Amino acid sequence: MTRRGEGQTRLDDAARAGWLYYVAGRTQDEIAAAMGISRQSAQRLVSLAVAEKLIKVRLDHPIAVCMELAEAVKAKYGLKRVEVVPTDPGSDSATVGVAEAGAAELERWLKQPDPLVIAMGTGRTLRAVVDQLPPMECPQHKIVSLTGNISPDGSAAYFNVIYSMADAVKAPHFPMPLPVIVSSREERDLLHRQPLVAPTIELGRRSNITFVGIGEMGARAPLLVDGFLRQDEMDELLAAGAAGEICGWIFGEDGRLLDHPVNERVASIAIPSRETAVVIGVARGRRKLQAIRAAATGGHINGLITDEDAARHLLAR
């Protein structure tokens, strides 16, 4: 019989303590008695369960202020669906709150019995959304990546979510075996015509529901940090008025795609038609305010999951 390591045994105990506390509603004293440990040990195990993300918390009670903001944003930008989560004043994390809300929304679509084509963008926020999904069996759906899964150095792109999502929900998945940005428009067109790529592109265009991250531009832009763009290219784009990007497609403050050579090299599938699909942007944080506004203004999304700060920014003018 294989012996469990000490670390795995402690995680097992943390999972048991977390379940007793959050699901069974037991007090720490009751957990200590049930597990034959001290109250302090029970408290540490519950904390470990949270720290190791063994426990995932969702708030089911809608907050009135957030609901009012969501309705106002939806009306102003003509969006089909908007969810606003509370802002954590002590954090500028790109995922706090919206990841949980995004996972709940994605789970609702996954639970539909009729077959769907679910398109996924990439990025840190979507990675956090997928990490919050519970294990599911969804063989009726198809999951397709809108963007490439190859980093500039040839390695697998870390924030491409399709593989981890497919593993979580046990659904057929269709990756894009391409970089996000290639060397020329001619190379992009050639790659898109390849037999292994063209069917994925066609599938992405027929998606029923799409989830995308919204990236900011500037010194901390994902496209720059992850090596898809050089600093001089970023400087040129900022000078041309770049405000944000979705799946590598870069747009200005008015939401229009920039007429710039970089956009001609983007190998991602075009964002699915908002006339036939629901396209939900998932983003929060002060650094992304301009990008979120531009994405909504330009009609790149018709759904949004964000926080109070971003919602108020969207309504400010």
Side-chain angles (χ1 to χ4, degrees):
M1 180 180 294
T2 303
R3 296 184 59 186
R4 293 183 301 160
E6 182 178 345
Q8 183 59 51
T9 299
R10 184 161 176 78
L11 285 179
D12 288 348
D13 289 341
R16 183 180 297 276
W19 188 93
L20 288 170
Y21 188 79
Y22 286 101
V23 179
R26 305 284 287 276
T27 67
Q28 291 178 0
D29 286 330
E30 291 172 331
I31 294 170
M35 297 181 65
I37 56 178
S38 68
R39 186 183 185 280
Q40 290 77 13
S41 294
Q43 184 179 27
R44 285 194 291 270
L45 286 174
V46 171
S47 297
L48 179 62
V50 174
E52 292 294 327
K53 297 184 179 179
L54 307 180
I55 300 295
K56 298 174 181 177
V57 179
R58 291 180 182 168
L59 183 66
D60 287 333
H61 180 75
I63 298 173
V65 171
C66 291
M67 292 179 65
E68 291 171 2
L69 287 170
E71 287 301 315
V73 170
K74 185 163 64 172
K76 180 174 180 178
Y77 291 90
L79 303 178
K80 291 183 177 180
R81 56 208 308 133
V82 175
E83 182 167 357
V84 175
V85 303
T87 294
D88 177 2
S91 172
D92 193 32
S93 164
T95 65
V96 171
V98 297
E100 291 78 5
E105 177 68 16
L106 180 52
E107 186 179 340
R108 282 191 284 272
W109 287 90
L110 288 166
K111 286 182 176 178
Q112 294 191 23
D114 294 332
L116 297 173
V117 176
I118 302 173
M120 300 296 296
T122 187
R124 292 154 177 79
T125 304
L126 284 191
R127 177 69 178 260
V129 167
V130 170
D131 286 345
Q132 293 288 332
L133 285 177
M136 303 172 69
E137 298 281 343
C138 305
Q140 73 275 27
H141 302 317
K142 293 179 179 178
I143 305 167
V144 59
S145 180
L146 289 179
T147 189
N149 60 356
I150 301 176
S151 294
D153 63 0
S155 63
Y158 182 74
F159 293 106
N160 192 285
V161 303
I162 190 168
Y163 295 112
S164 53
M165 179 176 168
D167 185 58
V169 304
K170 302 298 184 291
H173 56 291
F174 299 82
M176 279 277 285
L178 301 175
V180 175
I181 298 176
V182 296
S183 61
S184 68
R185 179 174 184 172
E186 291 74 21
E187 181 184 5
R188 180 197 67 184
D189 294 344
L190 176 63
L191 290 170
H192 279 189
R193 291 195 297 268
Q194 298 306 303
L196 290 177
V197 177
T200 300
I201 294 174
E202 180 58 30
L203 187 65
R205 289 171 177 161
R206 296 189 287 106
S207 71
N208 304 106
I209 172 69
T210 299
F211 286 80
V212 295
I214 302 172
E216 76 271 25
M217 304 299 288
R220 298 172 67 181
L223 288 177
L224 180 63
V225 172
D226 296 339
F228 294 106
L229 290 178
R230 302 188 309 269
Q231 183 62 57
D232 62 310
E233 291 174 320
M234 178 58 69
D235 292 341
E236 286 182 9
L237 286 162
L238 291 173
E245 58 88 13
I246 293 176
C247 295
W249 297 105
I250 300 164
F251 44 84
E253 189 174 353
D254 61 1
R256 296 180 183 178
L257 291 180
L258 289 186
D259 183 11
H260 190 279
V262 168
N263 268 342
E264 295 182 357
R265 295 162 40 209
V266 175
S268 302
I269 302 173
I271 303 169
S273 170
R274 275 67 72 200
E275 299 299 321
T276 58
V278 177
V279 181
I280 297 178
V282 187
R284 72 166 292 274
R286 290 181 288 275
R287 291 187 290 112
K288 293 193 175 186
L289 293 178
Q290 183 184 33
I292 296 170
R293 179 192 291 277
T297 299
H300 297 294
I301 56 176
N302 55 19
L304 178 65
I305 297 174
T306 192
D307 68 344
E308 290 175 278
D309 279 353
R312 290 193 171 95
H313 181 79
L314 289 170
L315 296 170
R317 59 181 184 184

